[in-house]
């Protein structure tokens, strides 16, 4: 299967994001909102920020890549990373 540049970017971003969030989740009770994850990740990246759309696409790949984190949607509509 051919992988496009965009999907390759999102797959790699997904792995990097999971690696970044795992220790934070372990320290902070195991759950954080996707908004907080977005802010913390971009703050750590400095000027090379990721767009909300790219981050969302990357989080959708967590499960397919068997990564240690998952995104869940509460009945209220809030998205969290666990």
């Amino acid at each position: 299967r051919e992988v496009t540049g965009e999907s390759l970017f999102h797959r790699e971003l997904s792995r990097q994001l999971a690696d970044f969030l795992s220790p934070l989740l372990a320290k902070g009770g195991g759950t954080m909102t996707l908004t907080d994850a977005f802010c913390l990740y971009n703050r750590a990246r400095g000027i090379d920020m990721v767009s909300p759309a790219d981050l969302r696409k990357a989080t959708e790949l967590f499960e397919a890549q068997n990564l240690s984190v998952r995104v869940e949607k509460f009945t209220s509509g809030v998205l969290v990373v666990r």
Side-chain angles (χ1 to χ4, degrees):
R1 177 176 129 183
E2 186 175 321
V3 177
T4 65
E6 181 181 355
S7 66
L8 182 59
F9 167 76
H10 289 114
R11 288 171 56 162
E12 183 59 31
L13 179 59
S14 181
R15 283 188 216 97
Q16 290 175 6
L17 190 58
D19 288 344
F20 176 79
L21 292 174
S22 290
L24 296 175
L25 291 167
K27 270 199 253 181
T31 302
M32 80 171 57
T33 66
L34 193 56
T35 303
D36 287 342
F38 171 76
C39 292
L40 290 168
Y41 188 68
N42 272 329
R43 184 178 297 157
R45 288 179 65 102
I47 61 170
D48 187 25
M49 293 191 222
V50 173
S51 74
D54 284 335
L55 187 117
R56 182 68 183 113
K57 285 181 185 178
T59 61
E60 291 171 356
L61 299 173
F62 284 160
E63 195 167 346
Q65 295 192 92
N66 295 319
L67 299 173
S68 61
V69 294
R70 299 283 182 267
V71 171
E72 294 181 23
K73 186 175 186 176
F74 290 146
T75 55
S76 65
V78 174
L79 294 170
V80 297
V81 181
R82 292 185 171 198

